[in-house]
Amino acid sequence: MTSGIKRLNVLLGLGIFAFLFVPWYRVERGFYSFDWIAGFPFSSDQAPGLFQILSEGRLWLAVALILFLVGIGSRLIGNEDQRGKVLVIAGAAGIIFMALQGLAISFTGWAWTFPENAFGALSLGQPAMGAGAVLVSLIFVLFIAFGLAERGFMKGDAFVVGSISMLIFLVAVFIFYPIGSMFVGAVHDFDGSFKPDGFIRNMQDPAIWSLDCVIGGNRCGVAWRTLFLAVLSGLGSTILGLAFALAATRTRFPFKRGLRLLTVLPIITPPFVIGLALTLLFGRSGVVTEALDTLFGIEPSRWLYGLTGIWIAQVLSFTPISFLVLIGVVEGVSPSMEEASQTLRADRWRTFWHVSLPLMKPGLANAFLIGFIESMADFGNPLVLGGSHGVLSTEIFFAVVGSQVDPSRAAVLAIILLSFTLSAFLAQRLWLSGKNYATVTGKGDSGVHAGLPKSLSITVHGIVLPWMGFTLIVYGMIIFGGFVKTWGLDNSLTLEHYARAFSIGFQDGALVWTGVAWNSFWTTMEIALISAPLTAAVGLLTAYIIVRQKFAGKNAFEFALMMSFAIPGTVIGISYIMAFNLPPIEMTGSALILIACFVFRNMPVGVRGGIAAMSQLDKSLDEASLTLRANSARTLRKVILPLLRPAITAALVYSFVRAITSISAVIFLVSAEYNMATSYIVGLVENGEYGIAIAYSSMLIFVMITVITGFQLLVGERKLRRENRVAGVAKSNKFQIAQEKTA
Amino acid sequence: MTDLKAGSVVFENVRKDFGSFTAVPDLSITIEPGTLVTLLGPSGCGKTTTLRMLAGLEHPTSGRIFIGGRDVTMVPAHERDVSMVFQSYALFPHMSALDNVAYGLESSGLKKKEAHERAEEGLAQVGLAGMGHRLPAELSGGQQQRVAVARALVLNPQVLLLDEPLSNLDARLRRRVRTEIRELQQRLGFTAVYVTHDQDEALAVSDRIVVMKDGRIAQEGAPRELYEEPVSEFIADFMGEANVVSCEILDHEGNNAIIDIGGIRHKLRSRGASKGKAKLAVRPGSVVLNPTDTSGLGGEIVTAAYLGDHVEYEIETSVGNFFVIDHAVDQSYAPKTAVSLGFRNRGLALIEG
């Protein structure tokens, strides 16, 4: 008996189990409550697939059963090639059928009109898919995978083919299906009827597209304002980032270690916190505003609330990211190029201007595009500082939760935002790829970087020092703000905010979490802890497949995965609501939707980290394992994963931290039961309870610093003596991942 | 490792394409059980691809591969009864030497205890008894190499594959280790396929050598056969240097041919060459230099380089330039000196083309 038959047996057994013993549809009170066992298997809601067909009269499910039986039948075919073919066909037909029936038949019957005309009305509809239906769908996916493996695809490696099929399936369900639903939602009404009016009206809305400001009129449309802001934020953070990078590498700047610390900040700062700190400084009752008022009689104004304020907050937030990108670029310029230039009678200024800077150009463009995408995707700062002058991401939010709920408008705005960020992403991938002048080669490249020309050096210091000071003040505000009674009005120190947020009491001899923040705090920790290992696993598996396996369509696969990174969180949020609120897949209000959102939004981080780490592992290690009788699953487990431990830890930590700081997608997906820390804080800000908001934010920052340093200490101790094949993995990873922070 | 089962290897019209590039167009080889066969050739000749197809790390585009009589063409690497020593050794850096050697045994389903016992035996077999607890990084290059060999051998494979196993060792160690590998193969009697681009190594270890060029077999035979009777200029030059000059076959005498090299008569094995113009390969050491005797081929020294135990000359003659290695270092010639060239009985061969 070959291994092919063995694994097929397991799969078929699982399928029979799914049809006989698992509730087909979604169980209202949750699958894991196991309440459903009481009514099992004959109640309409909780019956498994077979009983849905036989006793409930949901006859269309018989098609799935028949396709599954075809799979069982293939077991009898001796010829591997033909068995594979039958399995692939049955699996593909099964998956297509499951998707079609899910979309076509809703609670009340046909969701579409044409099948109703063709087949006649249905007497009963169906609820959302449950454990049984999901299991059967996955089994159909594995039918395809095993069938392809039998036919010798990927050298007959079922584990690899299975992983690829599962990943494609999951990405399709959790990224492309929601985005698709959003496009469909833009032209449909609530009841699902086709109604493009809303779409057309919104698309032509002058509030979005007006160019009034150019011709001296009032204000430009929100699309242009967002674009304008993104360009300025990209420019600002790139210039500042370059100044910081030059200061850190090309000058005798006194606080270089401090500069490096700066790079950690964007990772641990929840995205709206900078905006919050700015309000405390420059808002109407901010420290600086009041000081100016009393000293010089300058009237307090609301200048901060609008594009200017958002721009300052974004430049503050994104400069460290751009610094991190550019420090690699600046160091990547080979010193020997600069030395060559100097021996060719060029002075420092000429060397910098004609050699160093041109070599950095692609890196600068890259930093700009990252800043641009970050600014577009930023939700926290505009929410806090935007006031009535919103940007796309906040407009989307208000179109869903505001006074006028208009899903079509939200979808249109999301589509516009998505097309901006995707264009920038495409520019980054297509235009910049292959234009990398990174002159770091494997060869030892000795030599000393040329110093900066005097005038430039002074400029760089002139930019870096004040900005560092500004950043310090801003973060100082965040810590300090939590201890002040009422900002601007009553500046006496107090612990009241911390007490209200994090108090603990004893009642009847038991510990009671009486603080208002605990509920969302523990939910956040729980969700972050669940999603972090999943994110790391999916990300690293993907990285393994991308780095180590060759298959047709690999580039498209990688591209699609990385593209999901350019989708702003707000867009993901709105598309998840539109996709997962109704059958066939209903997840809104559950913890599952938050976890799915985190896993698929943060996965690219794990992928990039994994790719970087795995590229440094000699491929012959895998091959040696394969020739030593280990299959690819064992190879992954015994050889690759142990050697990737630093990368795994990094992926775990960063997906954990990102799950805690993320706001843009989360704010759409939280529910009363599962509220996350960030959305709770934003709620506090909206109610004007700055004190608690700030206290809670500092607490989050503190928790994340603890977690990161804890993990660093754990990972830092481990290394393989004298082994340089894996050295540097941890370092390069941190570097990679830190670039990926988004709102 | 006592009961090694040597298997045969057969390639039947194997072709391997990488995209539009054809690495191996049409290869058929038969390797007898218990022999050490070397695949030799310059880089890019397809020898490593051939080895990797045998290991199952690449699958042929068409054709069939048999190991020990079983068709393994579509069998994945981990289900094949071969094991491989990698050029980089590919020792798992996070496992001790013992764990490395036991890895394959445990993958095959052996209990940990038994696997470790057999791994100890395997390490002892290559002279590393008691070193099992060390990490690869704590072993010298030669020791790492022996761990890699032990790791492959404990699996008792039908065929052992060696991919340039000596290329990461320094020259002195290389000679010793290649003797060890040959000795081990002779003692245990396993079939081995050995890939290298170094003809000295191939000559030293092989029962048979397959010289490859552009994915095809250029010549196949015992080491002596290849060195002494190259069929083409490529083989003659690749298996130790050779001067290729024109000559004319005047007559046959049984298996031998009488040839004329620039007016000098010489007798050597004809190997089926017919009368008329022909090409002759002359080993640099098969030329005798004589300043006085004028019966030889007249020539003039162009360059001379003293290398301790021999002198290398470039000599211009009427049939072309000769590269000559002369071990008579006491009597060296300055450039521009006129000399007369004679030929030894060995080291001359008629070649194609």
Side-chain angles (χ1 to χ4, degrees), chain B residues 13-17 22-27 62 213-216:
Chain B
N13 302 102
V14 169
R15 177 191 176 89
K16 178 65 187 173
D17 297 326
T22 302
V24 175
D26 180 7
L27 188 72
S62 65
K213 190 193 179 197
D214 302 330
R216 293 169 206 278

Side-chain angles (χ1 to χ4, degrees), chain A residues 24-28 44-45 52 58 60 101-102 105-108 125-130 582-586:
Chain A
W24 185 263
Y25 292 116
R26 181 165 187 266
V27 182
E28 206 51 54
S44 169
D45 290 343
Q52 293 287 2
R58 293 192 166 104
W60 62 90
Q101 64 92 16
I105 303 173
S106 65
F107 281 122
T108 50
Q126 60 181 356
M129 290 189 187
L582 286 170
I585 310 174
E586 202 182 315

Side-chain angles (χ1 to χ4, degrees), chain B residues 298-351:
Chain B
E300 191 186 274
I301 307 279
V302 183
T303 62
Y306 170 74
L307 280 107
D309 73 331
H310 67 270
V311 185
E312 291 180 1
Y313 296 106
E314 195 189 340
I315 301 169
E316 192 181 316
T317 74
S318 57
V319 290
N321 281 19
F322 276 86
F323 169 69
V324 175
I325 291 175
D326 188 10
H327 285 275
V329 277
D330 291 340
Q331 187 195 27
S332 63
Y333 306 94
K336 303 256 163 95
T337 314
V339 287
S340 158
L341 280 65
F343 299 98
R344 297 182 199 277
N345 285 330
R346 306 184 59 83
L348 275 69
L350 288 166
I351 56 174

